[in-house]
């Protein structure tokens, strides 16, 4: 399980969980002991042969790793690029989220925690957490914005069938931000026996590091697979960015690689006005959200802004602190794709490759359709999840009837 153990870019974060000026801990005092306990446990477990072996066995035999890379031949012909896909949609539960959820559930067992809570937007992290808890015999409570329970109804059903309790959150915009808020409130009240499986590279230290280390298996596999098939690195590695775990998972293997551009695609929503998009890096400002300092969308008074995206998994007003650091250091670039472009990307992938992608990575394909790169560019895409969960949303947006 070298994907967890071999952290070559060890300059960040520092011992306080800071990626440059970003990250850190901005949480109630009651959570500090649990965060200290988790940080110490992860420092020990990430290099522990017993833990590493147990997780590696489960990633292979239960999750189905390594996931393959696929040459998108017909899409490549249409775009004028040479496009390869890292197929996280083929992992058990249909997305990359299982890598992190399973790893954190194992850590919770080692810590003696008797209960798991999680938040979810698109439902894939909730499903992954419920799956890991069912496998390991842990009770699981998943907080989900009420709006997202409707647009991601199939995943709500999956979570319940897996034995999880799904708690709809009625506050605010009733989406992912509010789900995280409620999960943090629960954790503050139950921290002695509960572990919070955060689903992305957000939140207070050590969560951005822990989730990154568990997700970097994506990029480590992809880089080795691409080099074996094509003899070198791609020109561009691109992934969608909400909180940013699938992107960090891909990028980490390539940070500092000569000649490789790292590009994250945010949700441009339906317009450029505040409240109409989720472009935290490209249009946000530094601020504190959910226990960490990073880029976020906020109004003139510093209040966290409402957001919109056709994709529930990208509908979040902030981004992981490591992405903020990579952006400021010029080590990664960030762009956006609109709802319309994401739908075009969804249709293009389905039509040319026989793959129904989740709406989240559809933003990447939609951005590629805008012809942003030189002809012949070698592109590696993180296809972070499959689109079964989004069919009702896509059908409604495209006006596809049952008839």
């Amino acid at each position: 399980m070298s994907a967890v153990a071999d952290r070559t870019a060890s300059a960040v974060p520092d011992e306080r969980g800071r990626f440059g000026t970003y990250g850190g801990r901005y949480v109630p005092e009651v959570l500090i002991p649990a965060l200290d306990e988790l940080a110490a446990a992860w420092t020990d477990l990430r290099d522990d042969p017993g833990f590493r072996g147990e997780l590696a066995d489960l990633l292979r035999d239960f999750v189905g790793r390594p996931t393959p890379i696929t040459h998108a031949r017909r899409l490549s012909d249409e775009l004028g690029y040479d496009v390869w896909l890292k197929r996280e949609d083929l992992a058990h539960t249909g997305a990359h989220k299982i890598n992190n959820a399973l790893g954190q559930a194992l850590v919770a067992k080692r810590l003696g925690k008797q209960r798991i809570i999680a938040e979810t937007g698109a439902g894939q992290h909730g499903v992954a957490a419920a799956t890991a808890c069912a496998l390991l015999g842990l009770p699981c409570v998943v907080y989900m914005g009420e709006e997202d329970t409707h647009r991601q109804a199939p995943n709500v059903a999956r979570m319940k069938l897996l034995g999880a309790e799904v708690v709809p959150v009625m506050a605010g915009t009733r989406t992912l931000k509010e789900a995280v808020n409620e999960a943090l409130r629960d954790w503050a009240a139950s921290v002695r026996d509960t572990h919070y499986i955060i689903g992305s590279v957000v939140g207070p230290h050590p969560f951005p590091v822990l989730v990154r280390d568990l997700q970097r298996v994506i990029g480590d596999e992809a880089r080795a697979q691409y080099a074996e098939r094509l003899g070198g690195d791609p020109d561009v590695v691109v992934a969608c960015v909400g909180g940013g775990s699938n992107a960090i998972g891909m990028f980490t293997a390539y940070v500092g690689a000569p000649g490789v551009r790292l590009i994250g695609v945010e949700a441009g929503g339906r317009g450029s006005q505040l409240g109409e998009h989720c472009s935290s890096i490209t249009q946000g400002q530094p601020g504190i959200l959910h226990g960490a300092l990073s880029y976020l969308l906020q109004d003139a008074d510093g209040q966290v802004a409402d957001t919109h995206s056709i994709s529930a998994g990208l509908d979040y007003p902030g981004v992981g602190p490591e992405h903020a650091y990579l952006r400021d250091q010029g080590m990664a670039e960030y762009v956006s794709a609109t709802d319309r472009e994401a739908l075009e990307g969804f249709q293009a992938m389905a039509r040319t490759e026989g793959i129904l992608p989740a709406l989240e990575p559809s933003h990447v394909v939609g951005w590629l359709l805008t012809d942003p790169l030189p002809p012949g560019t070698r592109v590696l895409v993180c296809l972070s999840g499959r689109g079964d969960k989004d069919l009702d949303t896509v059908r409604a947006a495209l006006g596809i009837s049952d008839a």
Side-chain angles (χ1 to χ4, degrees), residues 249-322:
M250 275 290 279
F251 291 177
T252 299
Y254 289 98
V255 169
V260 180
R261 293 173 63 189
L262 306 179
I263 301 177
V265 183
E266 298 188 293
R270 59 193 171 209
S272 60
Q273 297 299 310
L274 201 62
E276 296 188 341
H277 61 83
C278 307
S279 301
S280 304
I281 297 184
T282 53
Q283 298 194 50
Q285 299 292 329
I288 296 169
L289 177 66
H290 296 146
L293 173 65
S294 187
Y295 280 98
L296 66 136
L297 297 170
Q298 51 194 311
D299 63 22
D301 297 321
Q303 297 299 307
V304 178
D306 291 341
T307 56
H308 163 78
S309 173
I310 194 171
S311 162
L314 302 183
D315 201 346
Y316 184 67
V319 68
E322 189 165 7

Side-chain angles (χ1 to χ4, degrees), residues 8-60:
T8 55
S10 57
V12 292
D14 63 19
E15 66 279 359
R16 300 177 303 141
R18 292 280 187 174
F19 300 85
T21 60
Y22 302 106
R25 291 178 178 173
Y26 299 86
V27 295
E29 191 68 25
V30 67
L31 293 179
I32 296 299
L35 292 169
D36 285 341
E37 178 187 41
L38 182 60
W42 186 238
T43 297
D44 292 338
L45 289 175
R46 64 188 292 183
D47 295 318
D48 178 73
F51 177 84
R52 290 170 54 192
E54 184 179 11
L55 180 54
D57 288 347
L58 287 172
L59 290 175
R60 181 190 64 231

Side-chain angles (χ1 to χ4, degrees), residues 57-382:
D57 288 347
L58 287 172
L59 290 175
R60 181 190 64 231
D61 300 333
F62 184 71
V63 176
R65 305 209 71 89
T67 58
I69 61 169
T70 298
H71 190 198
R73 291 182 175 84
R74 295 190 63 232
L75 182 64
S76 295
D77 290 342
E78 184 164 313
L79 294 173
Y81 310 137
D82 187 44
V83 179
W84 289 74
L85 311 172
K86 178 56 173 168
R87 299 293 304 280
E88 291 302 290
D89 60 311
L90 297 181
H92 181 45
T93 71
H96 70 291
K97 295 294 188 180
I98 190 66
N99 306 319
N100 168 57
L102 190 56
Q104 285 204 52
L106 286 177
V107 172
K109 290 272 288 191
R110 296 292 183 103
L111 291 173
K113 303 297 183 181
Q114 303 299 311
R115 174 175 176 265
I116 298 295
I117 59 174
E119 89 295 325
T120 197
Q124 286 302 125
H125 175 59
V127 168
T131 298
C133 288
L135 178 68
L136 300 177
L138 292 166
C140 181
V141 176
V142 180
Y143 290 93
M144 189 173 192
E146 191 261 347
E147 170 67 18
D148 292 337
T149 65
H150 297 309
R151 58 178 171 174
Q152 304 286 254
N155 276 342
V156 175
R158 294 170 75 191
M159 286 182 269
K160 290 180 177 180
L161 288 169
L162 288 161
E165 177 188 355
V166 180
V167 180
V169 178
M170 308 301 293
T173 58
R174 298 170 293 148
T175 54
L176 181 56
K177 173 172 67 72
E178 287 74 26
V180 177
N181 289 342
E182 288 304 311
L184 285 169
R185 291 189 184 100
D186 182 321
W187 197 33
S190 61
V191 69
R192 291 184 181 274
D193 66 352
T194 297
H195 176 66
Y196 176 17
I197 300 182
I198 286 183
S200 195
V201 285
V202 299
H205 176 67
F207 283 109
V209 177
L210 171 59
V211 178
R212 176 199 66 197
D213 289 349
L214 291 168
Q215 290 292 7
R216 68 166 294 165
V217 66
I218 303 169
D220 288 341
E221 284 180 5
R223 189 172 189 184
Q225 291 166 326
Y226 192 94
E228 181 181 359
R229 296 285 292 273
L230 287 92
D233 289 333
D235 301 315
V236 171
V237 176
V238 59
C240 63
V241 176
S245 65
N246 89 95
I248 284 293
M250 275 290 279
F251 291 177
T252 299
Y254 289 98
V255 169
V260 180
R261 293 173 63 189
L262 306 179
I263 301 177
V265 183
E266 298 188 293
R270 59 193 171 209
S272 60
Q273 297 299 310
L274 201 62
E276 296 188 341
H277 61 83
C278 307
S279 301
S280 304
I281 297 184
T282 53
Q283 298 194 50
Q285 299 292 329
I288 296 169
L289 177 66
H290 296 146
L293 173 65
S294 187
Y295 280 98
L296 66 136
L297 297 170
Q298 51 194 311
D299 63 22
D301 297 321
Q303 297 299 307
V304 178
D306 291 341
T307 56
H308 163 78
S309 173
I310 194 171
S311 162
L314 302 183
D315 201 346
Y316 184 67
V319 68
E322 189 165 7
H323 282 293
Y325 174 81
L326 293 175
R327 184 259 196 190
D328 282 7
Q329 295 297 311
M331 302 170 78
E333 308 165 43
Y334 296 86
V335 297
S336 65
T338 64
D339 287 354
R340 177 182 57 79
E341 288 164 343
L343 287 167
E344 292 171 352
F346 183 100
Q347 295 173 90
M349 183 70 77
R351 172 173 45 80
T352 62
E353 298 299 331
I355 297 170
L356 295 178
L359 279 171
E360 290 81 12
S362 294
H363 284 72
V364 173
V365 184
W367 176 74
L368 289 172
L369 287 169
T370 66
D371 196 30
L373 302 171
T377 299
R378 299 177 302 169
V379 182
L380 178 59
V381 173
C382 184

